[in-house]
Amino acid sequence: MVKRNILLNPGPATTTDTVKMAQIVPDICPREKEFVGIMRELESDLVKIVHGDPEVYTAVLFCGSGTINMDICLNSLLPENKKILVINNGAYSSRAVEICEYYQLPHINLRLPVDRQPDLKVVEEVLESNPDIALVYTTHHETGTGLLNPVREIGALVHKYQAVFVVDTTSTYAMRPIHIAEDNIDFCMASAQKGIMGMTGLSYIVGRKAVIEASAAYPKRSYYCNLYLQYDYFKQHGEMHFTPPVQVIYAAKQALKEYFAEGEQAKWERHTRVFSAIRTGLEKLGFRIFISEDIQAGLVAAALYPNDPNWEFEKIHDYCYERGFTIYPGKVEKMGMFRLCALGAIDEKDIQDFFVVFEEALRTYGVKVPVEY
Ligand SMILES: *Cc1c(COP(=O)(O)O)cnc(C)c1O
């Protein structure tokens, strides 16, 4: 048994011991047939999670944290003389804009309020007046605030204007059910330490083979981070182009086994149960949640710092951390917030245990309970 910590940060998530232990394997060269078999199975399971038709969609694996997927989709899927539209209502979409800036990709940064869903009329106006937009990018669940974006509706617009739709699903994939075709998504992405409850260091993009194949002719803007090159190498050899994170892949294999054993619906219900316990606990202590309930993804609660001179996030964090619970700061500029997330191998009881410790921390440091604003 490994000491069990309850991670309420937005990933890496709490994992099971069986996933942790799956990394302890005999040394193996990833070029062996045995390993190639594992990789092929992994690829097809990752497509299955979003209910993709394996004739149409594929999964391309990379060694890196989730941001590598964002980088790869943006730099690989833009044809020459075309533009990217980033629908930006949060910190993760702002990161996508930064990537466009670094690669000097022609783009439109459509900045929208961070506390609500985008106005689809505004999105359509931009698409209509910019026929050179070839790629539209948005974040399914802005992990910084907990906001859920209506990807199915946005995707329908994107396709009406014949563009490719890339969605950052890093913080929903394998948690909130996604149907890649019905949700009008051409490319989605995630990393192993979030939804599937694996280890850090493996990321994947699930998307349309035909678009990836067309991208062979697009400008190559990165050597290591190119979608077509990795896809093509995997298709031919069943391996990643360069050294894969071997042990992390064994953990992912076990995590997927546990994912399918739990089942998509049961897992989503568990996350929902955990999230609801988080909300109830926060509300009981008087905390305000930043995003209104009807537009939350149901996975991240961002609570506003109370108006209390004794409130110090660091102290509360450390008190909880010493007792096995991790809480996380917010990600909205100029606003004091902390986050509690419903990711990982945890359940309702863990949240109830957490709130006992959290309330103890508040009282220990003299924060008035219920908190005030
Ligand atoms: C976690 C996350 C990422 C990736 O972040 P890394 O720190 O690179 O793992 C990207 N997008 C979203 C929405 C996320 O929640």
Side-chain angles (χ1 to χ4, degrees):
M1 281 281 282
V2 183
K3 178 175 177 259
R4 184 161 179 268
N5 288 329
I6 305 301
L7 301 187
L8 301 176
N9 48 296
T14 297
T15 56
T16 61
D17 282 354
T18 36
V19 167
K20 290 183 192 78
M21 292 310 171
Q23 295 178 98
I24 313 296
V25 288
D27 294 322
I28 182 170
C29 171
R31 305 292 182 212
E32 299 297 348
K33 278 191 223 68
E34 180 189 334
F35 199 77
V36 169
I38 294 174
M39 295 290 276
R40 292 234 186 255
E41 209 180 309
L42 200 58
E43 187 274 329
S44 88
D45 281 350
L46 292 169
V47 175
K48 204 183 290 169
I49 287 181
V50 289
H51 306 277
D53 174 354
E55 295 293 316
V56 180
Y57 301 92
T58 186
V60 188
L61 299 140
F62 291 91
C63 183
S65 80
T67 305
I68 203 170
N69 294 327
M70 304 169 63
D71 185 325
I72 291 161
C73 284
L74 290 163
N75 89 58
S76 307
L77 293 172
L78 183 67
E80 192 127 51
N81 302 319
K82 298 284 184 186
K83 230 187 248 164
I84 297 173
L85 166 63
V86 181
I87 301 170
N88 180 0
N89 59 354
Y92 286 95
S93 296
S94 294
R95 186 180 295 179
V97 170
E98 272 180 27
I99 294 169
C100 293
E101 286 167 359
Y102 274 40
Y103 284 106
Q104 300 184 336
L105 304 172
H107 66 282
I108 297 172
N109 174 12
L110 182 61
R111 283 189 76 130
L112 297 166
V114 298
D115 59 352
R116 69 198 76 147
Q117 296 185 326
D119 182 341
L120 296 178
K121 281 206 289 294
V122 174
V123 174
E124 178 152 21
E125 273 162 28
V126 176
L127 284 165
E128 199 172 8
S129 49
N130 294 276
D132 56 348
I133 292 172
L135 194 161
V136 178
Y137 183 101
T138 196
T139 308
H140 191 197
H141 166 213
E142 277 290 353
T143 323
T145 54
L147 176 75
L148 181 73
N149 276 318
V151 291
R152 190 174 291 200
E153 291 76 8
I154 299 172
L157 281 179
V158 173
H159 291 158
K160 181 173 162 193
Y161 291 88
Q162 275 101 46
V164 166
F165 191 32
V166 177
V167 184
D168 176 354
T169 54
T170 313
S171 59
T172 44
Y173 180 97
M175 291 181 278
R176 229 190 131 87
I178 294 170
H179 289 254
I180 192 164
E182 287 167 36
D183 287 333
N184 297 319
I185 297 171
D186 298 310
F187 289 87
C188 63
M189 59 186 82
S191 52
Q193 81 272 19
K194 291 204 176 168
I196 71 163
M197 311 191 306
M199 297 293 148
T200 327
L202 173 70
S203 293
Y204 24 86
I205 295 166
V206 182
R208 278 187 189 278
K209 289 183 195 175
V211 178
I212 301 175
E213 278 165 14
S215 77
Y218 299 174
K220 303 283 184 300
R221 303 173 177 97
S222 169
Y223 182 73
Y224 196 78
C225 295
N226 182 273
L227 187 57
Y228 176 76
L229 292 181
Q230 186 81 323
Y231 161 83
D232 187 54
Y233 195 91
F234 190 83
K235 200 168 98 177
Q236 291 182 40
H237 307 276
E239 297 167 20
M240 281 162 75
H241 199 169
F242 306 108
T243 309
V246 177
Q247 288 72 17
V248 171
I249 285 170
Y250 278 99
K253 175 177 151 69
Q254 175 64 23
L256 287 170
K257 197 168 134 195
E258 294 176 18
Y259 173 86
F260 289 112
E262 183 173 12
E264 178 184 57
Q265 201 52 36
K267 185 170 187 285
W268 173 232
E269 279 163 22
R270 177 170 59 76
H271 289 301
T272 303
R273 198 156 66 228
V274 169
F275 186 68
S276 153
I278 289 173
R279 282 194 70 99
T280 307
L282 284 171
E283 279 161 8
K284 241 169 75 188
L285 294 171
F287 282 96
R288 284 193 197 147
I289 296 172
F290 181 58
I291 295 289
S292 67
E293 197 167 354
D294 54 322
I295 52 169
Q296 283 186 6
L299 290 160
V300 171
L304 302 175
Y305 286 171
N307 198 354
D308 187 318
N310 289 333
W311 166 270
E312 260 184 77
F313 175 79
E314 277 307 311
K315 281 188 181 165
I316 305 288
H317 166 276
D318 292 355
Y319 187 96
C320 296
Y321 177 73
E322 281 153 22
R323 289 155 185 82
F325 298 93
T326 292
I327 64 175
Y328 206 67
K331 213 180 172 73
V332 179
E333 271 175 56
K334 301 191 203 85
M335 287 189 79
M337 266 183 236
F338 67 98
R339 283 180 282 172
L340 301 178
C341 310
L343 282 64
I346 59 175
D347 213 330
E348 217 172 5
K349 173 74 168 64
D350 298 309
I351 303 302
Q352 287 153 4
D353 294 346
F354 161 73
F355 274 107
V356 172
V357 170
F358 186 63
E359 188 169 348
E360 234 172 62
L362 296 175
R363 294 191 191 278
T364 302
Y365 290 110
V367 179
K368 197 156 175 278
V369 176
V371 297
E372 286 177 350
Y373 288 93

